[in-house]
């Protein structure tokens, strides 16, 4: 094979790789679009409840107190920091520092786990205040159902995200990624940041407004 | 590869953005900060969150809800534009995300606008 032909094959392989990467990313965006619709239903239902039952939501906020808001604010910072760690991990790998990328991704997974532990703690605190799933047992006329449905569904996404992150780390340790091959890391990043965006909206709508 | 084979635009603009995220400094409004773009965005997100929580405690009245929701949307937009790279990636990605988002927002606004239990229908 002549040198010119080999060069042509390399260029073709690179173009194919770029095309596959772009199409895979597009598929991920379509998945995110479907997730957007699902979360919009949860958020929409809560928003309708919130604007038609201002007194109930106000009473819940009073019961939670500033301490309750502080825990959730801490959780918000954990997710924001995990998103930052995620993109810094991607950046490290793009700068040909895979080991650094693995460290950043490890921080991402760890912060996701701490988020879930704190969410469990928050749920246990709410249960003590009789904010429950059952309409009959809930002290705030069904607030519990409107609250737990979106936050638990989001928490489940964080759980799945942690598992995906661990898988990305495992593959990175096996040498699957390099500065020219980061598409799987990018795809996981899209998922993780989407989960972060959902929390940003839930945090404001449920706890602050 | 021919132009026809490219289903999604892939421009040199994306490569410039790639360089922007890898750079050790960030320039905002003519000022250069000694941190990467991702870190600068993280600081802005953190500051907005603190402002949001403080405003929620301090402010009371009609302005509170639109103000806080506005800040939340600004934070979400920052993540989508810079962390999810929608600012620089193909417009097809943006379209795939924004169209269902707009439909969802319109549906939510419609649901909020419809008063509950207002049906005038009476069964005979």
């Amino acid at each position: 094979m002549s040198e010119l032909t080999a060069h042509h094959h390399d260029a073709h392989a690179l173009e194919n790789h770029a095309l596959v990467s772009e199409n895979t990313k597009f598929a991920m965006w379509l998945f995110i679009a479907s997730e957007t619709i699902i979360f919009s239903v949860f958020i929409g239902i809560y928003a309708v409840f919130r604007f038609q039952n201002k007194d109930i939501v106000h009473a819940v906020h009073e019961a939670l107190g500033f301490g309750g808001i502080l825990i959730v604010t801490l959780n918000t910072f954990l997710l924001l920091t995990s998103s930052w760690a995620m993109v810094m991990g991607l950046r490290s790998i793009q700068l040909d520092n895979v080991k650094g990328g693995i460290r950043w991704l490890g921080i991402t997974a760890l912060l996701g786990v701490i988020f879930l532990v704190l969410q469990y703690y928050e749920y246990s605190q709410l249960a003590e205040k009789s904010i429950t799933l059952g309409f009959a047992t809930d002290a705030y006329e069904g607030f519990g159902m409107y609250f737990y449905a979106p936050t638990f569904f989001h928490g489940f996404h964080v759980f799945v995200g942690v598992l995906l992150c661990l898988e990305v780390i495992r593959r990175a340790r096996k040498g699957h990624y390099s500065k020219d091959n980061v598409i799987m890391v990018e795809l996981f990043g899209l998922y993780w940041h989407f989960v972060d965006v959902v929390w940003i909206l839930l945090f404001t709508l449920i706890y602050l407004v | 590869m021919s132009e026809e084979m490219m289903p999604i635009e892939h421009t040199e603009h994306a490569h410039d953005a790639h360089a922007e995220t890898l750079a050790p400094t960030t320039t905002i409004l003519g000022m250069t900060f000694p941190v990467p773009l991702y870190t600068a965005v993280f600081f802005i997100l953190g500051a907005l969150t603190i402002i949001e929580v403080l405003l929620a405690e301090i402010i009371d009245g009609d302005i509170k809800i639109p103000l806080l929701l506005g800040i939340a949307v600004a934070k979400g937009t920052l993540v989508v534009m810079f962390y999810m790279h929608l600012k620089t990636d193909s417009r097809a990605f943006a379209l795939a995300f924004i169209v269902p988002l707009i439909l969802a927002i319109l549906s939510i606004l419609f649901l909020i606008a419809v008063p509950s239990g207002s049906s005038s229908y009476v069964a005979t």
Side-chain angles (χ1 to χ4, degrees):
Chain A
M1 189 187 297
S2 73
E3 196 174 311
L4 188 64
T5 314
H7 182 73
H8 179 75
H9 276 275
D10 286 351
H12 191 69
L14 270 176
E15 282 169 353
N16 264 344
H17 179 72
L19 180 64
V20 169
S21 293
E22 290 293 291
N23 286 347
T24 315
K25 256 201 219 179
F26 187 62
M28 189 64 187
W29 273 107
L30 289 177
F31 170 72
I32 287 173
S34 70
E35 288 275 85
T36 302
I37 294 292
I38 296 169
F39 273 107
S40 297
V41 172
F42 283 115
I43 290 172
I45 289 170
Y46 180 84
V48 171
F49 175 80
R50 161 67 183 80
F51 287 105
Q52 291 176 350
N53 300 278
K54 291 174 187 167
D55 294 339
I56 295 172
V57 175
H58 185 70
V60 171
H61 285 175
E62 289 287 311
L64 283 175
F66 192 63
I69 297 296
L70 269 186
I71 289 175
V72 188
T73 305
L74 175 63
N75 246 357
T76 303
F77 268 99
L78 288 176
L79 269 199
L80 288 178
T81 311
S82 75
S83 257
W84 172 61
M86 171 61 233
V87 280
M88 291 304 281
L90 173 67
R91 181 176 179 272
S92 283
I93 297 173
Q94 285 172 333
L95 287 169
D96 212 12
N97 178 9
V98 177
K99 276 189 179 176
I102 291 171
R103 273 197 292 273
W104 281 113
L105 289 170
I107 292 170
T108 304
L110 179 66
L111 293 173
V113 170
I114 298 172
F115 175 91
L116 290 173
V117 170
L118 276 181
Q119 191 168 44
Y120 175 77
Y121 173 74
E122 185 206 0
Y123 280 3
S124 64
Q125 294 289 304
L126 293 174
E128 280 180 16
K129 292 181 171 64
S130 297
I131 297 173
T132 63
L133 266 176
F135 276 88
T137 54
D138 186 73
Y140 297 91
E141 298 176 48
F143 173 85
M145 177 58 88
Y146 294 101
F147 167 81
Y148 287 115
T151 56
F152 181 81
F153 192 59
H154 174 270
F156 176 71
H157 276 72
V158 174
F159 175 70
V160 171
V162 169
L163 295 182
L164 290 174
C165 191
L166 293 176
E167 174 62 14
V168 170
I169 291 170
R170 189 188 68 83
R171 288 184 183 211
R173 284 166 66 96
K174 287 200 164 189
H176 285 241
Y177 310 126
S178 66
K179 69 184 175 74
D180 298 319
N181 180 20
V182 287
I183 184 63
M184 292 309 288
V185 184
E186 278 194 77
L187 292 182
F188 165 67
L190 285 176
Y191 174 86
W192 192 254
H193 300 312
F194 172 73
V195 172
D196 188 23
V197 171
V198 171
W199 182 254
I200 285 171
L201 297 176
L202 286 179
F203 171 63
T204 303
L205 185 66
I206 295 179
Y207 298 95
L208 300 184
V209 167
Chain B
M1 185 180 303
S2 67
E3 288 282 327
E4 305 87 67
M5 279 182 70
M6 290 287 235
I8 298 163
E9 67 184 75
H10 191 75
T11 63
E12 283 188 14
H13 183 57
H15 292 292
D16 293 344
H18 201 59
E20 190 184 28
T21 58
L22 297 183
T25 59
T26 306
T27 304
I28 304 171
L29 300 171
M31 289 183 288
T32 302
F33 299 91
V35 289
L37 177 67
Y38 293 143
T39 307
V41 171
F42 172 66
F43 285 144
I44 295 169
L45 288 171
L48 285 175
T49 305
I50 292 169
I51 291 169
E52 213 180 3
V53 174
L54 290 177
L55 285 178
E57 290 297 314
I58 296 166
I59 290 183
D60 218 2
D62 293 340
I63 191 73
K64 183 179 174 178
I65 293 176
L67 189 64
L68 292 178
L69 288 178
I71 294 174
V73 169
K75 285 165 63 184
T77 307
L78 278 175
V79 175
V80 171
M81 298 297 269
F82 292 99
Y83 285 1
M84 297 172 86
H85 308 124
L86 215 52
K87 181 172 177 273
T88 50
D89 268 349
S90 168
R91 284 185 188 163
F93 302 164
L95 212 60
F97 178 61
I98 289 169
V99 170
L101 187 65
I102 290 171
L103 287 175
I105 290 169
L106 288 176
S107 305
I108 291 171
L109 290 175
F110 175 74
L111 282 171
I112 291 173
V114 175
S116 64
S118 64
S119 171
S120 58
Y121 173 77
V122 179
T124 54

